[in-house]
Amino acid sequence: MSKTTAILDGKLVAQARRAALGEKVSLFRRAYSRSPGLAVVRVGSDPASEIYVRHKVEACESAGIKSFHIEKPATISQEELEKLIDELNANPDVDGILVQLPLPKGLNETKATERILPSKDPDGLTSGNLGLLLAGRARVAPCTPLGVMKILEHYKIDVEGLSAVVVGRSNIVGKPMAQLLLESNATVTIAHSKTKNLRDVTRAADLVVVAAGKPRLLGKDDFKPGAIVIDVGIHRVAHDGGKSKLCGDVRSEELLGHAKALTPVPGGVGPMTIQMLLENTLTLSELRQKRNI
Ligand code: NDP
């Protein structure tokens, strides 16, 4: 059993990287006489999306990235949304386009995402970018799994040779997470809702990334002593006195003194996701300048 559990502080890692990013953005501005630009498109009035978008826009400003914040009513048609994306694809000041998901009912998220040029896709979610990732030639990797890799790197956790389990197989988290761990020479298993005896699978792993989207799904008995546990889940749940609080997919209080290392919720993977969005935007800006596109 690990006596102490290291808390992998994603907020701290993101802050350190934000300062470094600010310097890189200044260099970019000096070299090309413009700022990198990120367009954030929000459709409808989902309150959670509103908060996420506000955080993204504020983060852009803090790093010197120009943000284009575009809001459209839920009544926008698929055709109008795609036309907007086409205009942003053609706008030379825009290096990255993000369509905040989920979209209101009636709009096709896959079609909207695929409309973004892969060269302007800082989320790394177009099939073009996911394909490059799978081929080992990533332009940009999806932000959340990339953020997990950067946390591990910051804390000098070398995953080479480790047995890693990723719980979840979404395109946005689980699959690219598995691919990034594989590229770093971990031996990777992907678990999902049809996995039999999940506990046996996770208990065998040195490193477990939990992205099941189920509040407090896994606890102490699901991990071997000394495991490294990355909790990607984020949920707002009811708390005492009608208040609510955030929790992850892991019952983290059970893991203190049991796991070797653990990401907290909040303050773990979440802050890194936004930071990676900014870093990916700068990467795309630099690529566009170099290739003159
Ligand atoms: P999805 O709902 O798209 O995917 C969840 C995955 O978990 C699916 O593959 C599903 O399996 C699997 N799963 C569900 N229940 C179980 C179970 N009981 N046992 C094993 N596997 C299970 O979610 P996302 O990947 O988009 O997100 C996952 C979590 O991460 C969510 O809580 C989300 O809020 C959070 N998140 C956090 C971010 C951050 O910045 N911190 C960013 C993005 C997401 P199947 O495929 O069989 O259905």
Side-chain angles (χ1 to χ4, degrees):
M1 179 186 294
S2 296
K3 286 204 174 63
T4 52
T5 300
I7 300 300
L8 308 177
D9 186 340
K11 197 171 169 195
L12 185 137
V13 181
Q15 275 165 0
R17 295 186 74 94
R18 185 73 50 90
L21 176 68
E23 285 170 27
K24 288 181 196 160
V25 170
S26 297
L27 287 176
F28 179 93
R29 267 208 301 262
R30 245 174 278 152
Y32 303 113
S33 305
R34 71 175 187 94
S35 300
L38 175 68
V40 184
V41 179
R42 184 165 76 86
V43 182
S45 54
D46 175 52
S49 292
E50 191 182 334
I51 295 168
Y52 289 141
V53 166
R54 183 159 23 93
H55 286 167
K56 286 171 186 173
V57 169
E58 285 168 4
C60 277
E61 278 159 19
S62 78
I65 292 174
K66 187 170 163 52
S67 65
F68 302 80
H69 181 185
I70 299 155
E71 293 193 5
K72 292 289 172 189
T75 50
I76 192 173
S77 67
Q78 183 76 29
E79 202 181 14
E80 287 166 329
L81 178 59
E82 290 180 18
K83 187 166 169 273
L84 170 66
I85 295 168
D86 289 346
E87 283 163 10
L88 295 170
N89 280 335
N91 184 336
D93 294 331
V94 172
D95 300 287
I97 304 165
L98 182 156
V99 177
Q100 184 66 42
L101 302 180
L103 289 173
K105 276 203 179 93
L107 292 170
N108 185 321
E109 292 184 353
T110 308
K111 278 179 83 180
T113 302
E114 289 294 343
R115 197 78 181 190
I116 299 169
L117 285 175
S119 58
K120 291 197 174 190
D121 164 31
D123 272 336
L125 290 178
T126 54
S127 49
N129 280 333
L130 287 173
L132 285 174
L133 176 68
L134 196 62
R137 294 184 280 115
R139 182 188 277 126
V140 286
C143 301
T144 301
L146 184 60
V148 170
M149 296 309 291
K150 299 297 181 190
I151 291 176
L152 294 171
E153 193 182 297
H154 178 93
Y155 284 97
K156 300 193 170 29
I157 297 173
D158 183 2
V159 303
E160 180 163 320
L162 295 191
S163 132
V165 169
V166 179
V167 184
R169 55 176 166 180
S170 69
N171 286 342
I172 191 167
V173 187
K175 283 186 210 162
M177 185 75 253
Q179 182 62 23
L180 290 175
L181 289 167
L182 185 63
E183 268 180 24
S184 294
N185 298 321
T187 303
V188 185
T189 301
I190 305 180
H192 45 78
S193 69
K194 307 290 185 289
T195 297
K196 286 188 182 144
N197 306 322
L198 179 65
R199 176 169 291 171
D200 293 343
V201 176
T202 53
R203 270 193 75 88
D206 303 312
L207 166 71
V208 185
V209 180
V210 192
K214 295 280 179 291
R216 297 172 56 78
L217 177 71
L218 303 182
K220 183 177 177 181
D221 293 343
D222 297 299
F223 305 100
K224 74 176 176 190
I228 299 156
V229 179
I230 306 290
D231 189 356
V232 177
I234 184 148
H235 313 274
R236 187 162 285 285
V237 290
H239 192 47
D240 300 340
K243 289 185 184 163
S244 67
K245 65 170 192 171
L246 293 175
C247 74
D249 286 358
V250 172
R251 300 190 295 279
S252 51
E253 72 284 0
E254 293 181 13
L255 268 63
L256 298 175
H258 179 74
K260 181 175 167 189
L262 171 71
T263 56
V265 178
V269 177
M272 289 300 288
T273 298
I274 294 192
Q275 177 61 21
M276 291 304 110
L277 174 71
L278 304 182
E279 293 190 23
N280 280 352
T281 300
L282 178 63
T283 300
L284 295 180
S285 314
E286 289 169 342
L287 282 173
R288 286 189 60 235
Q289 285 295 155
K290 283 179 194 147
R291 292 180 190 166
N292 210 11
I293 50 173

